[in-house]
Amino acid sequence: MPSDDLLTVTGLTQQFGGVKAVDNCDYVLQKGRLAAVIGPNGAGKSTLVNLIAGALPLQQGSVRLDGVEIGGWPAYKIAQHGVIRTFQVARGFDKLTVLENMMVAPLDQPGESLFNAVVRPGRGKAAEVKQVARALEFLNMFELYRLRNEYAGELSGGQRRLLELARALMGGPKLLLLDEPMAAISPVLVERIGQHLLQMQRLGITMLLVEHNLGVVEKFCDWVTVMVEGRAVVSGTMAQVREHPEVISAYLGREVVSATG
């Protein structure tokens, strides 16, 4: 019987020197969730995401995506398998246009193959036409269509964040990892990005956010996991995790009051 679980992390442990950033962590994420991982500074949230994405070598434990063991794979191979990530500081190619930034995102494009370039040049061209149409569709979705011919380096911080999200969709993610997507942007744009995340969820994309803004988590995320000292201690809705005694003592008691008034 098919499982609804997209991501399964078991016994994940990562040590830096004598410090365990992630300590025998278990985590399960179901398909279609817009989920968040929250917790105090140093709880291991970003390390967890880095291990899932292959940005750190796996020391101990298992990471499975759709039943396939991806733990320990190189980052490029994990991306090819459908795990795409964004970063705290939006990244892009400043000297390329917005549309060109979109066009470099798809993986394994036919036009990149030497064989296709020499023997079947039409195949690469046809694929490129389709990718351009797809890129323009996503740029329109993120209200960046009018900026398609502008250089990415000329965009505002908020526009660069939107471009990063649009570019991530070009990779066809099964799982999108978002590291503090609301960092250093205005409240108006926070709301706008949150609505875009909900729109992406409706498209069937599973997302996992590392986020410090608990108001954002409360409003947009349907599943929340709290990490404390390298372990995932509780998962549920924000209302459910807020009542957990270990969470209250470690983190949420003070922070939720301030976030929700």
Side-chain angles (χ1 to χ4, degrees), residues 3-23:
S3 172
D4 288 333
D5 296 338
L6 177 65
L7 177 70
T8 305
V9 170
T10 307
L12 210 59
T13 298
Q14 193 76 10
Q15 188 165 309
F16 300 103
V19 178
K20 285 186 177 180
V22 177
D23 184 9

Side-chain angles (χ1 to χ4, degrees), residues 111 119 165 230:
V119 179
L165 291 173

Side-chain angles (χ1 to χ4, degrees), residues 154-227:
E154 298 174 357
L155 301 182
S156 68
Q159 289 168 339
R160 290 170 69 89
R161 179 67 74 191
L162 290 171
L163 176 58
E164 186 177 48
L165 291 173
R167 191 172 64 239
L169 289 187
M170 291 292 288
K174 293 181 182 178
L175 172 63
L176 184 56
L177 304 173
L178 304 158
D179 196 353
E180 297 191 46
M182 309 300 186
I185 57 177
S186 69
V188 172
L189 193 56
V190 166
E191 174 66 23
R192 184 174 163 191
I193 289 177
Q195 293 300 328
H196 281 306
L197 296 182
L198 291 175
Q199 187 178 13
M200 292 160 68
Q201 184 185 27
R202 289 192 289 271
L203 292 175
I205 298 171
T206 305
M207 286 167 280
L208 176 60
L209 287 66
V210 172
E211 184 54 59
H212 288 288
N213 186 330
L214 299 185
V216 166
V217 174
E218 179 102 46
K219 184 169 185 178
F220 297 110
C221 296
D222 56 20
W223 194 253
V224 182
T225 296
V226 182
M227 288 191 70

Side-chain angles (χ1 to χ4, degrees), residues 53 65 68-70 72-83 107:
L65 186 77
V68 176
E69 178 62 53
I70 63 171
W73 287 9
Y76 78 88
K77 187 176 180 181
I78 291 176
Q80 290 173 340
H81 199 64
V83 179
L107 304 169

Side-chain angles (χ1 to χ4, degrees), residues 8 28 57 66 79 81 94 99 106 114 126 140 157 161 171 173 179 183 194 209 236 243 249 259:
T8 305
V28 176
D66 246 352
H81 199 64
D94 289 352
L99 180 56
L114 179 61
N140 187 58
R161 179 67 74 191
D179 196 353
L209 287 66
E243 302 301 324
S249 63

Side-chain angles (χ1 to χ4, degrees), residues 72-120:
W73 287 9
Y76 78 88
K77 187 176 180 181
I78 291 176
Q80 290 173 340
H81 199 64
V83 179
I84 307 295
R85 69 169 302 183
T86 67
F87 298 86
Q88 292 183 24
V89 178
R91 299 183 180 184
F93 301 96
D94 289 352
K95 295 185 179 180
L96 298 181
T97 67
V98 168
L99 180 56
E100 288 168 342
N101 266 266
M102 296 289 286
M103 292 300 294
V104 301
L107 304 169
D108 299 326
Q109 301 187 56
E112 295 176 344
S113 164
L114 179 61
F115 177 82
N116 285 334
V118 174
V119 179
R120 298 182 294 188

